C-alpha cells in the first residue's frame, strides 16, 4: 500500500512487514527517510538533524543556512556536482561541457498494479497485491527529467525500483552513469555480503565489514559473470541466518553492473546499484528516454534465511514466466560430460534409450551437433545440422527419442562465432572487433555484434528454423566467453558507449521473441556453467545451469551461495560420473543424487556405463524426485549449515511445504575425523505445535527445532535424507 501524506509531504510504501519512506523537502529534494520493519505512520524526516558541517557546501536556495547541504541529506536519487560528494546516481556530459545533475520533485502518481519496462525484464504484479509509485524529478537547467519508478509487491515484502531518464531539453545529453537505485542508510555499522567466485566456483558468499570509503561488487565482462553476482546484502554486524536486520538487493539485469556501498564520514551508508559506468555512455537526443534496469529490494528483520525465502517466492512466481515456472521440470539427461563433442545420432539415441528405461524424461543433445563443430575451434555460428553426425537433420533423431517416450532438448550458443565458421568467413565484420586492433579470443571464439539488426535477425531466424524443424521441448542457451573488443560497425563513434547495454537488450529481444512464439519451450540459461545466473535471465529462462562443476561436494557450496537469492527451482543440477572431470574426486552415487535433487535434477553421464546397482539407485532417485519435487520447487528453503565454515563437519539444508506438513532434509558429511564429536542437527521451519514422523518415529516439531536430531556418524562424502511428515 502506497500512502501519501499531503500535510507532511511524505510518501510511504508499505508491504506486509516493511515500510519505506521518502519525503518531499521544501527545496524539492526527494529525501529518503526510512526503510525497515513496518511502521504505523509518522514522518521519519525528524531523524535528519540539520547541522553545520565543515566542507559540506550549501546551495543558493537555502540562502545563508549553513545547516542544509546535499552532502548530509539522505536522498532517493543523489545529485552530482552541487555539493554532495558521495556516490552520484546520475552523471552526464551536457551540451555546454558541464556535468551537473541536480533533481527536484515535480509530481508523483500512484497506480494499481506493477509497472513493466519496455525491452527489459522486470517483476510483474499478477496474482499479488501490487502498486506502482512514479515520482518525476527535474534538473533545473539541463532539461533532464528522471522518473523514479517504485513497484510494491506486498506479500513478498519486495520493493522494486527502476529509472527512466528523459531529455526534455533542446540539446543532446550524454549519460555516463545512471543508477537504477540509490539508497541512504542512517548511521550504523554494517556488513556487506556479496556473491564472489570464479568459473566452477560460482557464488561464494563473501562477508566484510564496511569501513569508511567505497566498497564495490560488479562486472565489466559484458555479462553478470562468475566472479561477482548482481545480488548483495547489507546487514547489521550481528545479523545471522535466522535473526537480525538485512537488506537484500538484486539487479534484474544480465550485463555489466556495479553495486557500490559508501560508508561515509558520519558512518552513514549510501548504496547505488545499476549498469556499470565502465565504457558506458548513452546519447540522449531531445525527446528521447533511457530506461535503467530494475533493482529489487527485500528487507528482513529475521535474518538472511527469511530474506532468501522472500526472494525465492517472488522470483519463482512473479519474475519467471511461462508454463514451466511453477511446474515440475522434465528429468533430463545431458550428454556433455559423457561424450563432449564426440557423438552421432546413434550415440545420443543409445544414451537416451538407457535413460528411458529407468524413467528419465528428456534427452538433451549438447554442443557439437551443427556445422563443423568437432571441437571448440570451429563451427559456432553455423546453425545447420551436421549431417555426418545426424543424418537427415534433427527431426529423425528427435522423433526416435520421442519414440522412447522422451522429450528432446538441444544446446545452442547463439551469441558467438568461431573464426573457423562459414558465418565468419561470410561476415568478418559481424563479430566485435575494434577497427585496426587485433581481436581477443575466448575459448577460440568471438562475440557476435547482436546490436546490429541483421546479426540479431540471423540469430533469431536460425533459432526459429531450428525450433520449427523438429519437436524440440527444451533449449540450453549457453554463452562461453566474456565480451571484449566491444565496438559496433553499426553505430557512430559517439554511440560506441552504448554497445554493452544494447548487446544485453538484443539478447533479451531474441529471448522474448522465442518466448512469444514458442510459449511452451523450456529454456535453461547457461554461461560456462553459472556465469550468467541473474534475475534478468530468470525472466526468460526459469532455470539456469548452476555450474560446470558437478562434483557433489563442491556443488554444496555453489548451491548454498546461489540460494542466497535464487530459488531451488532455478538451479540446474545433475548427477554426473566419477571421478569428477574437474575435481577428480569420487563421491557415492547416492550423495550425487541427494545434491542434484536440491535443484532441477537430471543426469550428465552415459547410463550404459553404470552398474546394475547404480541403475537401481537411478530408479530410486527418480522415484524419489517425482514424490519430492513439489517440496523442493514450491517449498520454503532453509539453510541448516554453512559449507564454508571450516569447523562444520556436514552441510545440511531443508525444504518445508508451505503448510508445514511435509519437509525434506538433505545432508552431506563434508569431513570426518577420528573419534568425532556427535553432531546435532536442529531443524527449521516446522510447526512447533505439531508432531512429525521421521523414519517411523514421532517427534514434536518443537523438539526437532529446539533440541534437534543426533546425527549418525557418516563417512566423508556420505549423504542422508530425512523425509518428514506431520502426523
Ligand atoms: C559450457 C556448459 O556449461 C557445458 O555444460 C557445456 O554445455 C559446454 N559449454 C559445451 O560447450
Amino acid at each position: 500500500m502506497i500512502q501519501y501524506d499531503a500535510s507532511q509531504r511524505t510518501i510511504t510504501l508499505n508491504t506486509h512487514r516493511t515500510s519505506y519512506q521518502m519525503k518531499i523537502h521544501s527545496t524539492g529534494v526527494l529525501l529518503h527517510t526510512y526503510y525497515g520493519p513496518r511502521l504505523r505512520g509518522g514522518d521519519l524526516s525528524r531523524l535528519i538533524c540539520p547541522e553545520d558541517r565543515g566542507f559540506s557546501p550549501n546551495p543558493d536556495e537555502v540562502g545563508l543556512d549553513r545547516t542544509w547541504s546535499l552532502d548530509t541529506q539522505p536522498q532517493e536519487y543523489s545529485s552530482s556536482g552541487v555539493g554532495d560528494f558521495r556516490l552520484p546516481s546520475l552523471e552526464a556530459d551536457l551540451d555546454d561541457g558541464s556535468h551537473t545533475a541536480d533533481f527536484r520533485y515535480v509530481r508523483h502518481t500512484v497506480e494499481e498494479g506493477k509497472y513493466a519496462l519496455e525491452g527489459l525484464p522486470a517483476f510483474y504484479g499478477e496474482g499479488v497485491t501490487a502498486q506502482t509509485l512514479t515520482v518525476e524529478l527535474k534538473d533545473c537547467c539541463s532539461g533532464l527529467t528522471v522518473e523514479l519508478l517504485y513497484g510494491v509487491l506486498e506479500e513478498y515484502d519486495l520493493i522494486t525500483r527502476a529509472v527512466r531518464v528523459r531529455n526534455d531539453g533542446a540539446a543532446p545529453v550524454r549519460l555516463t552513469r545512471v543508477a537504477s537505485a540509490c539508497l541512504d542508510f542512517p548511521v550504523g555499522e554494517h556488513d556487506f555480503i556479496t556473491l564472489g567466485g570464479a568459473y566452477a566456483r560460482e557464488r561464494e558468499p563473501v562477508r566484510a565489514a564496511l569501513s569508511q570509503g567505497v566498497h564495490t561488487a560488479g562486472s565489466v565482462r559484458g555479462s553478470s559473470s562468475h566472479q561477482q553476482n548482481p545480488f548483495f546484502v547489507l546487514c547489521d554486524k550481528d545479523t545471522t541466518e535466522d535473526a537480525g536486520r538485512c537488506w537484500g538487493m538484486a539487479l534484474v539485469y544480465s550485463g555489466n553492473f556495479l553495486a557500490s556501498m559508501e560508508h561515509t564520514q558520519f558512518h552513514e551508508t549510501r548504496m547505488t546499484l545499476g549498469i556499470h559506468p565502465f565504457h558506458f555512455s548513452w546519447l540522449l537526443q531531445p525527446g528521447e528516454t533511457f530506461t535503467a534496469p530494475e533493482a529489487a529490494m527485500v528487507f528482513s528483520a529475521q535474518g538472511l534465511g527469511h530474506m532468501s525465502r522472500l526472494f525465492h517466492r517472488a522470483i519463482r512466481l512473479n519474475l519467471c514466466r511461462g508454463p514451466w515456472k511453477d511446474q515440475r521440470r522434465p528429468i533430463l539427461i545431458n550428454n556433455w560430460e559423457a561424450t563432449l563433442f564426440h557423438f552421432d545420432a546413434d550415440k545420443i539415441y543409445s544414451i537416451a534409450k538407457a535413460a528411458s528405461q529407468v524413467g528419465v524424461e528428456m534427452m538433451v543433445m549438447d554442443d557439437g551437433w551443427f556445422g563443423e563443430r568437432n571441437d571448440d575451434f570451429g563451427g559456432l555460428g553455423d546453425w545447420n545440422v551436421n549431417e555426418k553426425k545426424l543424418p537427415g537433420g534433427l527431426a529423425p533423431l528427435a522423433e526416435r527419442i520421442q519414440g522412447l517416450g522422451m522429450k528432446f532438448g538441444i544446446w545452442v550458443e547463439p551469441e558467438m562465432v568461431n573464426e573457423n565458421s562459414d558465418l565468419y568467413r561470410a561476415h568478418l565484420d559481424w563479430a566485435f572487433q575494434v577497427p585496426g586492433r587485433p581481436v581477443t579470443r575466448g575459448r577460440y571464439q568471438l562475440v557476435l555484434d547482436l546490436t546490429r539488426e541483421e546479426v540479431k535477425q540471423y540469430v533469431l531466424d536460425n533459432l526459429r528454423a531450428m525450433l520449427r524443424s523438429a519437436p524440440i521441448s527444451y533449449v540450453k542457451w549457453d554463452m562461453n566467453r566474456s565480451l571484449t573488443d566491444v565496438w559496433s560497425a553499426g553505430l557512430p563513434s559517439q554511440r560506441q558507449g552504448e554497445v554493452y547495454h544494447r548487446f544485453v537488450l538484443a539478447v533479451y529481444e531474441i529471448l522474448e521473441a522465442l518466448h512469444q512464439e514458442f510459449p511452451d519451450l523450456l529454456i535453461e540459461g547457461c554461461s560456462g556453467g553459472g556465469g550468467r545466473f541473474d534475475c534478468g535471465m530468470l525472466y526468460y529462462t526459469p532455470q539456469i545451469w548452476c555450474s560446470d562443476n558437478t562434483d557433489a561436494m563442491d556443488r554444496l557450496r555453489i548451491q548454498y551461495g546461489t540460494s542466497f537469492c535464487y530459488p531451488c527451482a532455478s538451479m540446474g543440477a545433475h548427477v554426473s560420473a566419477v571421478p569428477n572431470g574437474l575435481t577428480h574426486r569420487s563421491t557415492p552415487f547416492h550423495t550425487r543424487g541427494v545434491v542434484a535433487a536440491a535443484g532441477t535434477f537430471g543426469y550428465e553421464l552415459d547410463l550404459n556405463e553404470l552398474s546394475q546397482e547404480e541403475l537401481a539407485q537411478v530408479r530410486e532417485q527418480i522415484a524419489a524426485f517425482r514424490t519430492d519435487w513439489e517440496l523442493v520447487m514450491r517449498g520454503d528453503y532453509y539453510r541448516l549449515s554453512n559449507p564454508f565454515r571450516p569447523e562444520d563437519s556436514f552441510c545440511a539444508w531443508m525444504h518445508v511445504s508451505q503448510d508445514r506438513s511435509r519437509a525434506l532434509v538433505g545432508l552431506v558429511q563434508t569431513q570426518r575425523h577420528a573419534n568425532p564429536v556427535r553432531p546435532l542437527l536442529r531443524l527449521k521451519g516446522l510447526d512447533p505445535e505439531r508432531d512429525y514422523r521421521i523414519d517411523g518415529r514421532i517427534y514434536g516439531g518443537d523438539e526437532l527445532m529446539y533440541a534437534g536430531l543426533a546425527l549418525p556418524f557418516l563417512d566423508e562424502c556420505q549423504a542422508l535424507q530425512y523425509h518428514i511428515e506431520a502426523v
Side-chain angles (χ1 to χ4, degrees), residues 373-440:
R373 183 75 169 163
N374 302 313
D375 47 38
D376 47 16
F377 289 107
L380 279 178
D382 297 341
W383 296 108
N384 49 303
V385 178
N386 182 330
E387 298 245 358
K388 280 176 256 161
K389 293 182 182 178
L390 310 177
L394 293 177
L397 175 62
E399 281 155 17
R400 277 172 85 195
I401 300 236
Q402 278 190 325
L404 295 168
M406 295 173 91
K407 294 174 188 291
F408 177 68
I410 198 162
W411 177 97
V412 292
E413 190 174 359
E415 297 152 76
M416 301 292 161
V417 66
N418 283 119
E419 287 151 285
N420 181 14
S421 68
D422 293 341
L423 179 70
Y424 188 73
R425 282 183 282 273
H427 301 284
L428 296 178
D429 63 336
W430 277 18
F432 282 136
Q433 181 170 8
V434 181
R437 286 184 186 273
V439 292
T440 314

Side-chain angles (χ1 to χ4, degrees), residues 30 32 70 73-78 84 86 182 184 270:
L30 191 60
H32 173 74
L70 289 171
Q73 301 295 321
Q75 292 156 64
E76 284 296 318
Y77 210 63
S78 54
D84 184 345
R86 296 166 295 171
C182 166
D184 278 333
R270 168 167 294 172

